[in-house]
Amino acid sequence: MPQLIQTPAELDALRETHPELALVDVRLAEDYQEGHLPGAINQCVFEVVFLHDLAGKALRRDQPVCVYGVAPESRESSTAAAKLERAGYGQVYDFRGGLEAWRAEGRPVEAPSVSPGGQAVRDGRFPLDLAESKVVWVGRNLINHHWGHVAISEGYVNFLEGAPDSGAVTVDLREITCADLAGGPLHDVLIHHLESDDFFDVENHPEAVFAFDRAEVCSESPGCQNLKLHGTLTLRGETRALTISAAAGFTPEGKAALQASLALDRTEWGVLYGSGRYFRRLAGHLVNDVIELQLRILTASAVLK
């Protein structure tokens, strides 16, 4: 198995005893550019072509290789070391202390002469990209389901002091589709059913609006549900409190992005058709009370500066 080293002194000793040692920074390319251990090359372990591209950098399988990441608790170096060993590299070392341990001792790092600085969040109101922002709905009964899209007609996120402060998303219920019935004779039948007063009463209530006035950061880890949006949902003329847990962050272009999946009890907003709580003996007309919604929103312009 890969040999573990913890400290910069151990890495120094390894380089002395193995002059051919290849030192590989397996972090993101942009992190490598901001600062890396002297003499290290970069190959990001998150890339699916990690092994292929590393082989293209003239590393031999009989050559000693030492990989490192950002810090002991981040697993990129151990992941890379395991991949290399499985690929047949005979002398693999994992500098688990990583860049954090190196810098803790005040050791120098290499970086380009012009290094990208940290990006700050601009305050202000940022409209949504309506082409890229979407809502997917899923409705079910006991053994079947339908799913489709509903259009976002407008929306914005307001940032204050570097964090989301408030915002709103307006959904146009006149622009609802059913993907699994697309092109079939039952598509329009279902859509008319959803638009009628059985469900959303679109003639009288053509829009639904989620507006939030408080955003709670609940984790610093990207990729998890790190944000809670506290607000209200107005649907079919009824306004109820709603909190959405979401995964939020920034795209490589600096746009703010958010993804969320939530289960919505439609009966709380007066959508009662087919509900077993309100009707007896529905037979095949039973419809689950819960509608599943998948939300993706993206700002039209960059939030980072």
Side-chain angles (χ1 to χ4, degrees):
M1 64 184 298
Q3 298 182 53
L4 186 65
I5 59 176
Q6 297 281 6
T7 68
E10 290 179 279
L11 179 58
D12 291 340
L14 183 65
R15 298 180 92 168
E16 285 183 11
T17 57
H18 295 80
E20 287 189 304
L21 181 76
L23 184 61
V24 183
D25 184 320
V26 297
R27 300 175 301 144
L28 298 169
E30 54 265 38
D31 294 340
Y32 172 83
Q33 290 294 322
E34 289 186 356
H36 54 268
L37 271 61
I41 63 172
N42 178 232
Q43 188 59 55
C44 177
V45 71
F46 306 127
E47 299 287 350
V48 295
V49 292
F50 170 69
L51 289 170
H52 176 273
D53 286 1
L54 193 58
K57 294 178 178 177
L59 264 70
R60 306 186 316 273
R61 280 178 166 71
D62 62 348
Q63 180 180 1
V65 180
C66 180
V67 295
Y68 74 89
V70 62
E73 71 276 6
S74 193
R75 298 188 180 185
E76 58 267 18
S77 68
S78 59
T79 300
K83 285 179 179 289
L84 289 170
E85 188 174 58
R86 287 195 298 269
Y89 287 81
Q91 301 179 69
V92 181
Y93 300 86
D94 176 5
F95 174 33
R96 191 65 59 80
L99 187 66
E100 184 177 272
W102 187 267
R103 281 182 158 154
E105 294 188 2
R107 296 188 175 221
V109 297
E110 291 181 346
S113 57
V114 179
S115 174
Q119 292 179 293
V121 178
R122 295 188 291 141
D123 286 347
R125 181 181 174 121
F126 295 87
L128 300 186
D129 183 333
L130 300 183
E132 292 295 330
S133 300
K134 313 182 174 225
V135 176
V136 175
W137 62 269
V138 181
R140 303 178 186 275
N141 60 22
L142 187 60
I143 58 173
N144 294 312
H145 77 281
H146 295 295
W147 71 277
H149 298 85
V150 58
I152 295 177
S153 57
E154 62 179 339
Y156 71 92
V157 179
N158 189 64
F159 281 82
L160 182 64
E161 296 181 354
D165 172 70
S166 59
V169 177
T170 299
V171 172
D172 188 347
L173 294 169
R174 295 164 296 192
E175 296 291 335
I176 188 170
T177 64
C178 179
D180 61 284
L181 295 178
L186 293 180
H187 178 272
D188 290 351
V189 174
L190 177 62
I191 296 305
H192 291 323
H193 187 34
L194 295 176
E195 292 176 341
S196 75
D197 58 1
D198 283 339
F199 280 92
F200 301 120
D201 193 12
V202 171
E203 182 178 356
N204 293 307
H205 307 288
E207 296 178 335
V209 179
F210 173 71
F212 70 93
D213 56 12
R214 184 165 71 90
E216 175 189 357
V217 177
C218 47
S219 173
E220 297 298 330
S221 299
C224 70
Q225 291 190 326
N226 55 357
L227 190 68
K228 287 185 178 181
L229 305 178
H230 300 277
T232 59
L233 174 66
T234 300
L235 174 67
R236 196 172 162 140
E238 299 280 348
T239 299
R240 297 281 185 271
L242 182 66
T243 295
I244 293 179
S245 296
F250 300 96
T251 70
E253 298 77 26
K255 297 180 179 182
L258 176 148
Q259 288 195 0
S261 296
L262 62 149
L264 198 69
D265 185 344
R266 60 189 174 88
T267 65
E268 294 183 10
W269 284 266
V271 183
L272 305 183
Y273 178 89
S275 171
R277 283 191 287 173
Y278 291 90
F279 301 95
R280 296 184 181 182
R281 292 194 50 77
L282 285 161
H285 302 286
L286 176 69
V287 179
N288 291 8
D289 290 345
V290 171
I291 300 172
E292 298 169 25
L293 299 178
Q294 298 172 20
L295 174 66
R296 179 180 81 174
I297 62 173
L298 192 70
T299 57
S301 59
V303 173
L304 298 180
K305 59 182 178 180

